[in-house]
């Protein structure tokens, strides 16, 4: 496996624990796992968990398993399972050996349940779901024992076998662990460990009509795989006593330890598969990989890079305190990564026509694809008498300090001549529709004589430019925490302007770019050719990945 992590990994409390376990000899090497449920596409929160689990395995030369927690057959699908594998690989990680599935252990899980029954530690309960809820008690009130709690072992064995054989209706009975109905921890009040559910399973088909519950399944799967550190998010902290209880009471030698860290919440978006699914189903976005989605596939399509996401994950760190993170941290990490990897080209997304009155024909000039990376090569930048510039690079009545174009003023055309605006042509409404300009022929690669020209703007020669569809993305929601208020539907905060599609122009050098090619459009931002709709040599489609923090300042004076 390649090592995308920098050797100087940032420490955190989990690393401290691992360091201790290795130093004390408790473990010779570590085994982690990433355990998604294949019930949706992964999101940025999962990316954090992937980077953590796979990253630890890499840094400590251990192993990380990919294990699907496939115990809820109704919600799970092959499509989701495949997308998850693709996302993990795309992020730059490879699981150890084959993919694991909780369903690989259904026979073992059944046998362990029988072991619990034999030990008097599990019983079949006939209470209805409503009755069970009522018997469970509340946070302040102890629960009550079910009247079925004292069934003898042989009766429980018989009933459980008949549950498996399909003799009872869905929901008619459950198998429960016999722990403590008065426990202050509700998870310990005789939790259900098996339920009857006639559902077709993506891997075991119709073999089973009983399915093990998540808490029961997870700890046993971890133990069977020899996981050393079972890392999950904080909402499972109260489930840890159950995790330990199950393993303490079964004849499994291995007892992994569970550690919890705080979930990532990213501002202006949501990190819940269930809610993301709602957006997809209601067609409020264009599928799971819509570039506005915080899914890994959405971020990929938008042009985020695996390196950038891994760097983000490193920067936000791992802890047990709140992990509500500003989008600027993600965008900063992506921008820095793209700065070094994306060739720079010119695009015009809001064109204003410019006619150069003292220039005939066309000429070209060589220009670097990146000022700091000569190895990216060069391309030819063309100029002719008919150009387009960005409409907002011209102002008739400019604010003070304006360095761009105005009537009678001069700017440097990027990689080309100094140009003066002589006349603004307007339509009947007074809108400027064309600029008539002249160039100083003595300024190609040279400063003009006797005066300083500070501003630099980009442009394209009309006859050399190619049309392109350019998709500009903004935040998906208008508020930082769209799902904070439980009384308000998070969809009411969807940003109606999160997508703007414009027809712009790009320079010919990008004509044959493959899908998922990154560019910086100078002064506009980082863009990526769309994975689905862009056709090399045909219809060109670019997604704006992220804007530039500053328009280029350092090179503003370059000739
Ligand atoms: P969701 O609530 O979005 O459905 P989940 O926790 O149910 O998420 P799983 O497929 O069960 O999704 O998660 C797989 C792993 O990813 C788990 O270990 C889980 O703790 C972790 N994970 C999920 N969401 C986040 C998050 N926001 N931040 C960090 N880790 C997360
Ligand atoms: Mg889950």
């Amino acid at each position: 496996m390649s090592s995308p992590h920098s050797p100087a990994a940032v420490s955190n409390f989990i690393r401290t624990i691992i360091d201790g376990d290795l130093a004390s000899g408790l473990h010779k090497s570590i085994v982690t796992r990433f355990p998604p449920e294949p019930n949706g596409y992964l999101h940025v929160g999962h990316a954090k968990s992937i980077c953590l689990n796979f990253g630890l395995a890499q840094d400590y030369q251990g192993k990380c398993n990919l294990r699907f927690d496939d115990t809820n057959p109704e919600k799970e699908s092959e499509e989701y399972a495949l997308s998850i594998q693709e996302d993990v690989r795309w992020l730059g990680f490879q699981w150890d050996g084959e993919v694991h599935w909780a369903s690989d252990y259904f026979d073992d899980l059944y046998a362990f349940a029988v072991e619990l029954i034999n030990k008097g530690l599990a019983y079949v309960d006939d209470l209805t779901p409503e009755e069970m809820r009522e018997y469970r008690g509340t946070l302040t009130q102890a629960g009550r024992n079910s009247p079925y709690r004292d069934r003898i072992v042989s009766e429980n064995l018989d009933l459980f076998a008949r549950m498996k054989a399909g003799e009872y209706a869905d929901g008619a009975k459950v198998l429960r662990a016999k722990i403590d109905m008065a426990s202050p921890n509700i998870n310990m009040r005789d939790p259900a460990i098996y339920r009857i559910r006639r559902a077709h399973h993506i891997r075991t088909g119709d073999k089973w009509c009983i399915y093990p519950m998540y808490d029961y399944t997870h700890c046993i799967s971890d133990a069977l795989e020899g996981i050393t550190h079972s890392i999950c998010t904080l909402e499972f902290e109260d489930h840890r006593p159950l995790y330990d209880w199950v393993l303490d009471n079964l004849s499994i030698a291995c007892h992994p330890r569970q550690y919890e860290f705080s979930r990532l919440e990213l501002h202006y978006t949501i990190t819940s598969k269930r809610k993301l699914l709602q957006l997809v189903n209601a067609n409020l976005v264009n599928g799971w990989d819509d570039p506005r989605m915080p899914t890994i596939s959405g971020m990929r399509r938008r042009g985020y890079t695996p390196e950038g996401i891994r760097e983000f994950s490193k920067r936000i760190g791992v802890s047990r305190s709140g992990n509500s993170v500003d989008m600027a941290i993600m965008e900063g990490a992506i921008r820095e990564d793209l700065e070094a990897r994306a060739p720079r080209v010119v695009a015009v997304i809001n064109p204003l026509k410019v006619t150069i009155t003292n220039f005939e024909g066309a000429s070209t000039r060589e220009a670097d694809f990146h000022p700091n990376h000569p190895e990216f090569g060069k391309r030819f930048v063309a100029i002719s008498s008919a150009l387009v510039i960005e409409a907002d690079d011209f102002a008739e009545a400019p604010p003070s300090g304006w360095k761009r174009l105005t009537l009678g003023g001069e700017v440097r055309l990027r990689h080309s001549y100094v140009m003066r605006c002589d006349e603004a042509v307007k339509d009947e409404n007074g809108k400027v529709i064309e600029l008539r300009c002249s160039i100083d022929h003595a300024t190609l690669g040279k400063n003009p004589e006797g005066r300083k020209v500070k501003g630099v703007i980009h442009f394209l020669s009309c006859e050399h430019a190619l049309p392109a569809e350019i998709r500009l993305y903004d935040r998906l929601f208008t508020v930082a925490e769209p799902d904070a208020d439980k009384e308000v539907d998070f969809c009411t905060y969807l940003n109606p302007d999160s997508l703007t599609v414009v027809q712009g122009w790009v320079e010919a050098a990008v004509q044959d770019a493959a899908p998922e090619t990154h560019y910086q459009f100078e002064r506009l931002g980082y863009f990526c050719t769309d994975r689905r709709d862009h056709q090399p040599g045909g219809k060109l489609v670019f997604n704006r990945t992220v804007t530039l923090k500053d328009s280029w300042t350092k090179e503003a004076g370059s000739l």
Side-chain angles (χ1 to χ4, degrees):
M1 164 159 43
S2 69
S3 183
H5 284 258
S6 72
V10 184
S11 196
N12 57 50
F13 78 100
I14 294 176
R15 287 177 172 271
T16 307
I17 290 165
I18 293 174
D19 290 338
D21 290 346
L22 293 172
S24 73
L26 179 65
H27 300 297
K28 288 203 171 52
S29 66
I30 66 158
V31 187
T32 58
R33 86 285 170 270
F34 173 63
E37 183 177 357
N39 63 348
Y41 281 62
L42 298 184
H43 55 62
V44 63
H46 298 110
K48 173 180 177 176
S49 179
I50 291 170
C51 291
L52 175 61
N53 281 295
F54 285 95
L56 285 171
Q58 254 174 12
D59 292 345
Y60 286 92
Q61 279 102 49
K63 293 175 180 171
C64 181
N65 290 350
L66 174 63
R67 183 202 317 136
F68 286 110
D69 154 33
D70 54 344
T71 52
N72 270 315
E74 293 102 330
K75 293 185 177 160
E76 294 159 7
S77 82
E78 191 66 28
E79 178 198 343
Y80 295 146
L82 289 173
S83 78
I84 290 170
Q85 294 173 59
E86 186 178 2
D87 287 349
V88 171
R89 277 199 226 98
W90 178 76
L91 274 176
F93 299 104
Q94 183 59 52
W95 48 91
D96 185 61
E98 299 285 300
V99 172
H100 298 256
W101 302 78
S103 55
D104 294 342
Y105 313 127
F106 279 176
D107 288 320
D108 303 280
L109 289 159
Y110 183 81
F112 285 126
V114 169
E115 183 181 337
L116 286 178
I117 295 173
N118 275 317
K119 288 177 169 166
L121 293 173
Y123 62 98
V124 172
D125 198 343
D126 298 1
L127 291 182
T128 63
E130 296 74 44
E131 287 169 330
M132 272 193 48
R133 216 169 296 133
E134 197 203 317
Y135 274 74
R136 191 178 296 130
T138 63
L139 285 174
T140 50
Q141 214 175 17
R144 284 178 292 138
N145 286 354
S146 161
Y148 304 98
R149 197 174 197 260
D150 294 320
R151 276 178 164 154
I152 56 171
V153 168
S154 57
E155 187 184 2
N156 282 317
L157 288 174
D158 176 55
L159 292 173
F160 188 47
R162 289 162 67 180
M163 278 170 65
K164 179 184 181 219
E167 289 190 25
Y168 309 113
D170 284 12
K173 292 186 188 328
V174 291
L175 182 72
R176 298 177 74 175
K178 194 173 185 175
I179 310 179
D180 178 8
M181 287 307 291
S183 171
N185 182 343
I186 291 186
N187 295 299
M188 299 299 271
R189 293 184 189 168
D190 292 8
I193 59 176
Y194 262 94
R195 64 206 192 288
I196 305 172
R197 177 96 11 119
R198 281 171 181 74
H200 188 81
H201 187 283
I202 53 170
R203 305 203 73 232
T204 58
D206 297 315
K207 177 176 172 196
W208 296 89
C209 66
I210 55 172
Y211 289 98
M213 302 297 284
Y214 174 81
D215 279 333
Y216 172 75
T217 308
H218 194 76
C219 52
I220 296 176
S221 307
D222 279 352
L224 292 173
E225 292 175 15
I227 303 299
T228 55
H229 299 81
S230 176
I231 302 165
C232 61
T233 36
L234 270 173
E235 68 272 21
F236 290 102
E237 184 172 24
D238 290 346
H239 299 233
R240 186 177 354 122
L242 178 55
Y243 186 105
D244 289 332
W245 183 92
V246 170
L247 295 181
D248 284 343
N249 286 295
L250 288 175
S251 52
I252 310 180
C254 174
H255 189 140
R257 292 293 159 198
Q258 174 180 306
Y259 299 99
E260 308 89 19
F261 68 99
S262 52
R263 285 177 88 84
L264 165 68
E265 320 248 3
L266 195 57
H267 287 176
Y268 293 96
T269 190
I270 45 178
T271 44
S272 151
K273 269 185 282 186
R274 188 176 53 79
K275 290 178 183 159
L276 294 173
L277 177 63
Q278 227 175 301
L279 294 179
V280 172
N281 285 344
N283 288 319
L284 295 168
V285 293
N286 302 316
W288 284 101
D289 69 348
D290 185 308
R292 292 168 293 181
M293 289 279 269
T295 49
I296 295 178
S297 52
M299 295 190 288
R300 171 178 181 176
R301 193 167 167 202
R302 179 155 172 166
Y304 287 15
T305 56
E307 295 83 356
I309 295 173
R310 294 199 303 259
E311 177 61 27
F312 164 74
S313 160
K314 199 155 90 187
R315 288 182 189 176
I316 59 174
V318 176
S319 76
R320 291 172 56 86
S321 49
N323 198 204
S324 180
V325 171
D326 203 285
M327 193 62 106
I329 299 183
M330 173 64 95
E331 294 195 338
I334 299 297
R335 212 179 261 128
E336 275 173 44
D337 184 55
L338 289 173
E339 149 62 29
R341 102 179 34 250
R344 297 185 187 181
V345 294
V346 170
V348 173
I349 61 179
N350 183 18
L352 173 63
K353 190 175 160 193
V354 169
T355 303
I356 302 185
T357 51
N358 62 345
F359 189 86
E360 269 168 33
S363 75
T364 55
R365 188 157 180 248
E366 242 185 359
D368 286 330
F369 272 118
H370 196 294
N372 308 325
H373 292 282
E375 73 278 12
F376 287 6
K378 294 172 186 292
R379 85 286 191 195
F380 286 101
V381 171
I383 186 165
S384 62
S385 59
L387 311 180
V388 282
I389 63 168
E390 292 297 342
D392 62 6
D393 276 337
F394 174 78
E396 232 184 333
S400 68
W402 181 257
K403 293 202 183 72
R404 294 174 272 166
L405 203 55
T406 184
L407 259 185
E410 281 185 311
V411 288
R412 161 79 57 189
L413 291 175
R414 178 77 165 142
H415 299 303
S416 191
Y417 299 92
V418 167
M419 176 179 87
R420 187 180 66 230
C421 178
D422 304 312
E423 185 189 347
V425 182
K426 296 179 182 171
D427 66 10
E428 62 272 22
N429 302 316
K431 184 178 173 227
V432 175
I433 50 167
E434 183 190 344
L435 301 178
R436 297 180 67 79
C437 301
S438 49
I439 55 165
D440 179 342
H441 287 274
T443 55
L444 195 59
K446 282 198 226 97
N447 279 321
E449 300 264 323
R451 61 200 196 278
K452 274 216 166 91
V453 172
K454 285 207 184 119
V456 185
I457 66 170
H458 63 273
F459 73 98
L460 286 169
S461 159
C462 293
E463 66 179 279
H464 299 92
L466 302 171
E469 178 174 315
I470 301 179
R471 300 172 181 172
L472 306 172
Y473 300 103
D474 199 351
R475 292 172 167 151
L476 188 50
F477 293 95
T478 52
V479 296
E481 294 178 16
D483 51 0
D485 185 347
K486 300 283 166 267
E487 303 298 308
V488 184
D489 178 6
F490 69 97
C491 293
T492 54
Y493 297 118
L494 274 169
N495 175 7
D497 301 319
S498 57
L499 169 63
T500 309
V501 180
V502 299
Q503 292 301 318
W505 297 92
V506 292
E507 64 173 85
V510 305
Q511 179 164 25
D512 297 317
E516 300 196 272
T517 304
H518 302 278
Y519 290 102
Q520 184 193 113
F521 288 170
E522 294 205 34
R523 301 175 69 222
L524 298 176
Y526 292 99
F527 289 75
C528 177
T529 48
D530 190 71
R531 266 184 96 187
R532 288 182 184 273
D533 303 331
H534 171 84
Q535 295 159 353
K539 185 185 178 198
L540 308 182
V541 181
F542 291 86
N543 296 322
R544 184 169 68 196
T545 308
V546 61
T547 54
L548 295 182
K549 209 194 280 157
D550 317 297
S551 62
W552 88 81
T553 41
K554 249 193 251 149
E555 300 136 66
S558 73
L559 306 176

